[in-house]
Amino acid sequence: MIAEVIIQSNVKNLNRIFDYQIPNDLENQVKVGSRVFVPFGRMKTLENGFVIGIKETSEYETKEIASVQDESILSEERIELAKWMSKRYFCNISDCLKLMLPPGTSNKEITKRVKEKNINFVTLKKEIDEIEYDIEIGKIKSDKQIRTLQFIIENGDVLVSELEMFADTSRAVVNTLCKNGYLEMIEKQVERDPFEGKDIVKTEKLELNSEQQKAYNEIANSMDDMLFSEFLIYGITGSGKTEIYLQLIEKTLQEGKSSILLVPEISLTPQTVNRFIARFGKEKIAVLHSKLSVGERYDQWQKIKRGQAQIIIGARSAIFAPVENIGLIIIDEEHDSSYKSETAPRYEAKEIARYIAKEKNIPLVLGSATPDLETMHRAEQEEIMLLKLTQRANSASIPKTEIVDLREELAHGNKSMISQKLYQAIQENLKNKKQTILFLNRRGYSTFIMCRECGYTAKCKNCNINLTYHSNKNKLKCHYCGYEMPILKKCPECGSEQIRYFGTGTQKLEAEIHKLFPEASTIRLDVDTVSKKNSHEQILDKFQTENIDILIGTQMVVKGHHFPNVTLVGVIAADGSLNIDDFRANEKTFQILTQVAGRAGRGKEAGRVIIQTYNPDNFAIECSKNQEADLFYQTEMSLRKQLKYPPFCDIILIGITSNNEKEVIEISQKLHQYMKKKLIEEKLGIILYSPVPAPIDKIKNKYRWRIIIKCKFDNNIMETIHQMLKEYEKMKKSNTRVIVDLNPNNMM
Ligand code: ADP
Ligand code: ZN
Ligand code: ZN
């Protein structure tokens, strides 16, 4: 018999299936899903591989499998899923398999885990792209060094001991990489064991209100029927969605089955996890997220594999947890963009969840206060059952939202970032010892520099993008490649000293608040303050426990936290997300404003939300003011239909990058010609756009072009694109890379 093997090399990226003879004495052990050792090429050591198929004969001359390391590390179903993913998302099977294997799997057999309470973590000192490039061009030659770097790229910061254990490398290799500037040692607070610390008071299930009960019953009934069905719990913030999840999980547990609950990476804080521990105890719960060290993730993974943990709470990739007896999948905040992977494999966790739920005949439950337009559309089509929750569950009132027109403010001579109305509201809150959240609808790094005389802006030399000013280091920095330069006092183009900083970052806002309210205590939450020392969650903890007056933050403050003492939320400029170059601008704006408003008045006191904007007439802003979600969805849906955007079609992005501008253009044109020919020959019902430079047309010295296709994604178009990629392999130049992204999140 012949085994089809995917080689999982830590050194090379081999996206091919190789045939191997199964020796007679191994016939009983080699199965689809087995992990084997095989000889490969001229290499002296054996390579590690996975059997993804078994067949009678091969048309090639084959070598023999040397040994079996693990008879069934993956099930046949998992292998099928990996194959399905590699076709749908245009990626390597081995990249998909990696998502399903125990964390840290490498050539070396894992026998034990080093339990070191060391706080010296090894972290990457260069950008991933840069390291991968150096590997590609052969600047880093040693296999051990490559393996070490790739291990950290895949698994995040690690302890040296973990590296030795999992990646078969040594302290000496790490030292060399540190010396060469690829790695550095950092002191990091060991992420606390998700279950360590204070004992959590057990909670009992609450009596559901009638809307909650109806939703619960629908899902519970479908569970009893043992058929796949999909639900959307569309409930305003605080309407008790989580309580429904808790009770559905309890039912699943009583039936001896397991549940997976996906939450956005950013809200995977102890606050969230504790609610589940409080109901079900620590023993039965496993938590999977990227902030755990690889060793901790490995422990959690084993806890699931053993069947000890029957409730899995995790971010995107937890959908691949090795659950034996799955009974329920829930995806909370289903509109969150973190469910779509931006790197290969570029999968959408909701689609994977649907695949698994169908295969296992179990319910898939999506929940959100601001569902994705795609999900709403599918509910309209009755592919998903819509379950609405319209009231706040603990009788907290819905906050009152007001809009301030910043243009009028300016006309009245107020040049500050804070309008009169917001100023008074903050003052009142300070007087009443209530807390305030000020939300800046943009990322932390947004202050760029411009010469007022000639219009010169300081751009990164590697990426065609504005450098941003970081006041704590007093430097200009590129947030794509990390390039830094000292601040400018004079314009390098015209010599003028009229250099100004533009844009409003959180730092600037904080400084202004201190000027306006000298007595107020403030805390900032943004990419700059969330460093290795202060986690996102520690900042929020501090805000709550020390009763700090004002929290100033970016996107990070939006996600589901519960601060009973917050009665005022101010949105400094709602327009930040309207001016992005993306068809989802309205949707994102509506979602962000609704979510951030949901942070106000979650306790006994009523909440107040003040939204400042230059576009008070924009319908996304108006709808979020009046809490007219239905109107928003109707309006946006008809716009999308007119313009032929998702959910009325799929978008395929073909991205072409290269260090060589001529090459990138040439390949883009050839791929476009190929697709055009196919379009005509096969009468494909697609809209094919001409190749153009991406909105950010150069990153890290790589030119970026793209071809966009609008279509209804089906097998036909999928096959055509696979053929196009094969065609590309033939014309391939060493420098160029082509990726295909189905329904990308980020259009930049
Ligand atoms: P969501 O997940 O929709 O934001 P939560 O489940 O967090 O809402 O519920 C918001 C608040 O209401 C929580 O404090 C929760 O304990 C409370 N709550 C939820 N359901 C009920 C209920 N049936 N009766 C009383 N309080 C409830
Ligand atoms: Zn100038
Ligand atoms: Zn750059």
Side-chain angles (χ1 to χ4, degrees):
M1 300 292 275
I2 302 291
E4 294 176 323
V5 175
I6 288 277
I7 310 269
Q8 187 100 15
S9 169
N10 271 314
V11 183
K12 267 198 238 49
N13 212 348
L14 300 163
N15 187 32
R16 267 187 56 201
I17 300 168
F18 296 92
D19 288 353
Y20 282 91
Q21 191 79 37
I22 305 175
N24 288 339
D25 58 323
L26 293 182
E27 288 249 314
N28 292 331
Q29 288 171 50
V30 177
K31 301 182 198 117
V32 172
S34 296
R35 191 163 159 205
V36 293
F37 277 129
V38 292
F40 185 76
R42 256 170 281 147
M43 281 200 259
K44 289 197 193 77
T45 52
L46 296 173
E47 283 284 346
N48 185 33
F50 293 91
V51 178
I52 66 153
I54 290 181
K55 58 187 180 185
E56 297 279 335
T57 55
S58 172
E59 52 185 301
Y60 305 105
E61 201 179 307
T62 55
K63 294 180 184 172
E64 276 194 352
I65 289 178
S67 65
V68 179
Q69 190 193 350
D70 198 328
E71 270 184 48
S72 51
I73 191 161
L74 289 168
S75 65
E76 215 169 325
E77 282 168 353
R78 289 279 136 144
I79 301 283
E80 283 307 314
L81 174 58
K83 285 183 182 168
W84 178 82
M85 285 175 71
S86 84
K87 292 220 85 170
R88 183 173 176 84
Y89 303 113
F90 307 95
C91 57
N92 299 348
I93 295 184
S94 68
D95 284 343
C96 302
L97 292 175
K98 272 184 205 155
L99 292 166
M100 304 169 188
L101 291 166
T105 303
S106 72
N107 289 355
K108 203 170 174 191
E109 198 165 350
I110 300 159
T111 46
K112 66 175 201 304
R113 147 152 194 250
V114 181
K115 286 205 167 63
E116 189 184 34
K117 275 279 167 191
N118 198 332
I119 49 164
N120 280 323
F121 274 78
V122 186
T123 189
L124 297 176
K125 204 175 174 188
K126 288 193 181 182
E127 294 289 323
I128 291 173
D129 279 12
E130 213 174 325
I131 295 171
E132 285 176 343
Y133 182 64
D134 285 352
I135 293 174
E136 210 175 289
I137 62 169
K139 201 169 156 192
I140 309 168
K141 289 193 193 72
S142 140
D143 280 3
K144 275 202 173 178
Q145 289 184 18
I146 294 174
R147 200 160 57 224
T148 305
L149 290 169
Q150 281 179 340
F151 186 83
I152 303 173
I153 289 172
E154 272 165 34
N155 295 289
D157 300 348
V158 288
L159 299 169
V160 175
S161 58
E162 287 176 340
L163 268 177
E164 287 172 333
M165 190 69 248
F166 291 110
D168 191 18
T169 182
S170 65
R171 203 169 277 269
V173 173
V174 174
N175 289 342
T176 311
L177 287 167
C178 285
K179 209 177 71 204
N180 296 345
Y182 290 100
L183 296 179
E184 65 182 321
M185 306 293 291
I186 51 160
E187 292 220 339
K188 187 161 123 171
Q189 223 181 11
V190 181
E191 187 74 24
R192 48 187 147 156
D193 174 347
F195 309 115
E196 213 174 70
K198 55 176 187 270
D199 270 332
I200 294 161
V201 186
K202 191 166 165 33
T203 61
E204 297 298 333
K205 67 175 170 189
L206 300 170
E207 193 172 328
L208 299 177
N209 63 35
S210 62
E211 285 181 329
Q212 284 174 314
Q213 190 67 50
K214 182 173 176 296
Y216 174 87
N217 289 349
E218 289 288 355
I219 300 164
N221 289 343
S222 121
M223 223 185 256
D224 294 339
D225 293 342
M226 297 206 280
L227 287 173
F228 164 75
S229 38
E230 193 169 344
F231 301 89
L232 168 63
I233 304 182
Y234 173 24
I236 61 169
T237 50
S239 59
K241 296 183 287 296
T242 311
E243 183 62 32
I244 303 178
Y245 306 157
L246 284 160
Q247 299 199 15
L248 287 169
I249 290 171
E250 185 177 337
K251 178 180 162 64
T252 313
L253 209 55
Q254 280 162 1
E255 287 166 12
K257 292 185 179 170
S258 303
S259 310
I260 295 181
L261 169 70
L262 296 189
V263 299
E265 179 83 46
I266 200 162
S267 49
L268 204 52
T269 58
Q271 227 189 10
T272 311
V273 177
N274 285 353
R275 284 184 75 178
F276 290 82
I277 294 177
R279 194 66 60 90
F280 302 110
K282 302 171 185 183
E283 268 303 289
K284 298 195 189 74
I285 298 178
V287 179
L288 289 169
H289 62 85
S290 65
K291 280 203 196 119
L292 300 175
S293 80
V294 60
E296 283 168 322
R297 258 180 290 149
Y298 180 76
D299 286 350
Q300 297 290 312
W301 197 92
Q302 290 296 345
K303 193 174 169 187
I304 301 164
K305 184 83 179 164
R306 282 196 304 271
Q308 181 190 344
Q310 292 177 290
I311 302 166
I312 294 95
I313 307 176
R316 180 177 67 221
S317 63
I319 194 65
F320 300 106
V323 188
E324 290 297 336
N325 194 6
I326 180 104
L328 173 68
I329 304 176
I330 301 171
I331 303 183
D332 190 28
E333 309 281 3
E334 67 88 30
H335 62 278
D336 194 89
S337 58
S338 71
Y339 292 125
K340 169 72 169 51
S341 171
E342 302 276 356
T343 54
R346 296 178 170 76
Y347 68 94
E348 165 58 70
K350 277 186 270 182
E351 292 174 353
I352 309 291
R354 195 168 295 134
Y355 177 104
I356 295 173
K358 276 185 183 162
E359 187 178 75
K360 301 289 183 187
N361 286 312
I362 59 169
L364 169 60
V365 178
L366 309 176
S368 175
T370 52
D372 195 88
L373 227 64
E374 169 86 31
T375 306
M376 285 303 253
H377 183 60
R378 299 186 56 235
E380 277 174 12
Q381 308 285 310
E382 297 184 353
E383 290 168 40
I384 302 182
M385 182 166 188
L386 184 62
L387 304 164
K388 271 194 176 186
L389 306 179
T390 57
Q391 307 296 325
R392 276 197 166 173
N394 58 358
S395 63
S397 57
I398 294 167
K400 183 163 162 279
T401 306
E402 298 149 80
I403 300 229
V404 174
D405 186 344
L406 287 173
R407 294 169 308 187
E408 276 175 27
E409 208 67 26
L410 209 58
H412 288 107
N414 179 7
K415 287 192 189 124
S416 136
M417 294 164 83
I418 308 288
S419 62
Q420 269 307 314
K421 185 177 254 176
L422 184 54
Y423 178 84
Q424 277 158 9
I426 296 173
Q427 204 159 42
E428 202 177 311
N429 243 23
L430 288 172
K431 207 175 73 208
N432 298 334
K433 303 249 173 303
K434 292 288 166 195
Q435 289 176 292
T436 301
I437 295 178
L438 295 180
F439 168 62
L440 204 65
N441 194 9
R442 57 169 35 165
R443 282 170 221 294
Y445 310 106
S446 50
T447 312
F448 68 105
I449 183 167
M450 189 166 95
C451 168
R452 292 197 147 180
E453 300 274 329
C454 74
Y456 161 87
T457 56
K459 287 203 155 106
C460 174
K461 66 180 175 58
N462 308 318
C463 319
N464 204 3
I465 196 162
N466 286 330
L467 292 172
T468 54
Y469 173 58
H470 285 236
S471 70
N472 53 351
K473 277 191 183 169
N474 221 13
K475 274 190 170 154
L476 296 173
K477 195 170 173 181
C478 168
H479 71 251
Y480 278 89
C481 76
Y483 170 77
E484 283 184 351
M485 67 182 243
I487 54 161
L488 296 166
K489 298 242 160 55
K490 250 191 195 163
C491 172
E493 294 281 309
C494 75
S496 157
E497 285 178 14
Q498 289 292 321
I499 289 271
R500 289 288 176 273
Y501 295 94
F502 283 87
T504 35
T506 44
Q507 295 174 358
K508 204 176 149 199
L509 177 58
E510 191 177 36
E512 188 155 341
I513 291 294
H514 284 161
K515 245 201 310 201
L516 294 173
F517 308 100
E519 74 286 11
S521 56
T522 60
I523 192 165
R524 228 172 73 215
L525 179 65
D526 58 28
V527 273
D528 287 339
T529 54
V530 174
S531 60
K532 276 155 189 157
K533 273 185 247 102
N534 297 301
S535 73
H536 173 222
E537 175 217 321
Q538 281 166 327
I539 294 174
L540 292 176
D541 257 11
K542 193 167 169 195
F543 173 60
Q544 178 154 22
T545 53
E546 298 180 16
N547 204 18
I548 289 172
D549 295 321
I550 303 174
L551 169 67
I552 296 171
T554 54
Q555 252 74 344
M556 293 178 185
V557 303
V558 175
K559 300 285 157 59
H561 298 279
H562 191 70
F563 302 115
N565 202 31
V566 172
T567 54
L568 172 67
V569 168
V571 178
I572 299 304
D575 317 77
S577 53
L578 274 182
N579 299 329
I580 52 172
D581 184 10
D582 191 324
F583 66 90
R584 294 187 199 82
N586 286 323
E587 186 184 359
K588 294 249 157 81
T589 304
F590 178 77
Q591 285 169 342
I592 287 174
L593 294 180
T594 308
Q595 297 279 344
V596 77
R599 299 306 115 224
R602 291 178 73 97
K604 286 183 215 77
E605 242 95 357
R608 187 171 175 198
V609 181
I610 297 177
I611 299 176
Q612 308 188 137
T613 176
Y614 292 98
N615 295 283
D617 306 325
N618 172 279
F619 77 95
I621 292 176
E622 271 200 324
C623 289
S624 52
K625 176 197 170 215
N626 302 330
Q627 270 121 26
E628 289 171 317
D630 291 342
L631 180 62
F632 170 76
Y633 282 107
Q634 277 166 24
T635 313
E636 180 68 13
M637 205 70 92
S638 61
L639 270 178
R640 297 274 183 96
K641 196 168 187 175
Q642 259 171 37
L643 301 171
K644 235 188 177 315
Y645 271 120
F648 298 96
C649 72
D650 292 293
I651 290 189
I652 301 171
L653 185 149
I654 303 171
I656 307 105
T657 56
S658 173
N659 293 58
N660 182 325
E661 192 169 14
K662 223 177 99 214
E663 225 169 271
V664 87
I665 298 173
E666 193 183 302
I667 300 255
S668 302
Q669 280 165 349
K670 281 189 182 158
L671 296 180
H672 179 254
Q673 277 157 14
Y674 180 86
M675 288 305 292
K676 199 165 174 181
K677 192 169 127 249
K678 285 279 173 183
L679 188 158
I680 295 164
E681 279 173 12
E682 297 180 15
K683 300 199 174 57
L684 294 172
I686 65 173
I687 304 173
L688 174 69
Y689 292 90
S690 297
V692 287
I696 300 171
D697 57 5
K698 194 174 135 200
I699 293 182
K700 289 168 201 155
N701 280 322
K702 286 194 176 158
Y703 296 89
R704 308 169 76 233
W705 277 60
R706 62 157 54 153
I707 300 168
I708 300 254
I709 296 172
K710 284 186 190 172
C711 62
K712 202 85 226 160
F713 190 74
D714 59 12
N715 278 336
N716 237 338
I717 177 76
M718 188 170 83
E719 286 306 331
T720 310
I721 289 179
H722 278 291
Q723 282 161 21
M724 179 204 77
L725 289 173
K726 267 202 197 114
E727 216 42 40
Y728 160 72
E729 286 296 316
K730 286 183 218 157
M731 58 176 116
K732 185 170 172 171
K733 305 242 168 95
S734 60
N735 244 322
T736 314
R737 249 191 228 179
V738 173
I739 62 109
V740 179
D741 199 340
L742 173 61
N743 292 321
N745 254 326
N746 184 349
M747 301 291 286
M748 301 308 263

